[in-house]
Amino acid sequence: MSRIYIPSTGPDNWQALLADPSKHWRTGYSARTLAHCWERANGLPPEIAAMFDGPSELLLALPEHKVPLAGGQRHSQSDVFALIRFGENTCAATIEGKVNEPFGPTVGEWFADPSDGKRLRLRQICDLMALDGVPPMDIRYQLLHRTASALLEAKRFKTDEAAMIVHTFSAARMWFDDFERFAGLFGNTARPDEPMVLVLRTGQRLRLGWATGNPEHLLL
């Protein structure tokens, strides 16, 4: 995987980075909607900026950013990875775009009859997030590995905190209950468009958020 990145000239540049560029690049779906939203913002979309304390600034955004995890060849691929400055702090954030698409399999579904690689990967994720044992079976695995990716990148870039933010364009707040259960792992109560900031037992600071995007981007 190359570590050289070329600046974007517009939303269409994002399409080539998708696993299936023809299937996943559709009006009204998350990949295309997210690309138009972030490109039009020319910085942080306001709903993402609202997840941080005080004035915030986008330093760098990488669409479809891959982070290697233990136990296999398949990386965790975030819709957007962003380095964000707010006040005197910096944050490594993974952004998960959603419209009506689900979060994928639960831990119970993904970890059924697990291979040695899956056991190793889940152990790494739990260690990063300071979770004891296997998470509850109804937690969505995607939320776990996206958060683990943010924590790994925060260490790599030596930022003050990590963040995992769901950037949703669903007026019905589809799948918010999954995010709510995930936040409950840390003893937090999730609320739409309100950030949660916690300090893990590892000492690492983690920010979680559910940010509602402008639905006008669904039409682009």
Side-chain angles (χ1 to χ4, degrees):
M1 182 173 61
S2 175
R3 295 184 182 276
I4 299 172
Y5 298 90
I6 299 173
S8 168
T9 58
D12 289 346
N13 289 161
W14 298 42
Q15 183 178 5
L17 303 173
L18 298 169
D20 189 335
S22 58
K23 179 181 178 181
H24 296 153
W25 192 253
R26 298 168 62 188
T27 300
Y29 286 73
S30 62
R32 184 182 176 107
T33 302
L34 199 71
H36 279 277
C37 176
W38 280 71
E39 289 280 355
R40 292 182 82 190
N42 194 27
L44 284 176
E47 58 273 15
I48 299 297
M51 293 289 104
F52 295 88
D53 313 311
S56 54
E57 175 190 2
L58 177 64
L59 303 178
L60 175 72
L62 303 176
E64 303 299 331
H65 181 63
K66 296 178 181 179
V67 178
L69 298 175
Q73 298 300 313
R74 189 171 181 178
H75 300 335
S76 178
Q77 186 165 332
S78 301
D79 294 327
V80 180
F81 170 72
L83 286 176
I84 298 167
R85 181 184 297 280
F86 62 104
E88 298 299 316
N89 298 303
T90 55
C91 176
T94 53
I95 310 296
E96 183 64 25
K98 291 295 178 192
V99 180
N100 297 324
E101 306 94 332
F103 285 109
T106 63
V107 171
E109 293 163 342
W110 177 79
F111 204 60
D113 192 23
S115 64
D116 289 342
K118 284 189 175 183
R119 292 181 187 276
L120 182 61
R121 177 165 291 201
L122 191 61
R123 189 177 309 121
Q124 180 194 32
I125 289 171
C126 290
D127 287 346
L128 284 165
M129 298 167 63
L131 298 175
D132 296 323
V134 176
M137 294 293 104
D138 64 342
I139 297 297
R140 297 289 174 177
Y141 170 63
Q142 187 181 79
L143 293 171
L144 290 169
H145 69 81
R146 288 289 187 270
T147 304
S149 298
L151 291 165
L152 283 170
E153 294 299 76
K155 290 180 179 180
R156 186 160 74 100
F157 287 98
K158 295 185 177 181
T159 61
D160 298 289
E161 70 175 37
M164 194 286 292
I165 298 171
V166 178
H167 194 179
T168 179
F169 297 85
S170 170
R173 292 178 180 162
M174 291 188 70
W175 317 114
F176 177 73
D177 56 336
D178 287 324
F179 178 75
E180 196 172 29
R181 281 194 292 274
F182 172 71
L185 289 176
F186 307 98
N188 284 58
T189 300
R191 294 181 178 84
D193 303 304
E194 292 184 18
M196 296 169 284
V197 182
L198 52 133
V199 178
L200 302 176
R201 292 203 306 270
T202 60
Q204 197 165 9
R205 199 166 74 194
L206 173 64
R207 184 179 300 260
L208 300 174
W210 177 278
T212 307
N214 190 329
E216 70 179 22
H217 296 106
L218 291 165
L219 305 175
L220 300 176

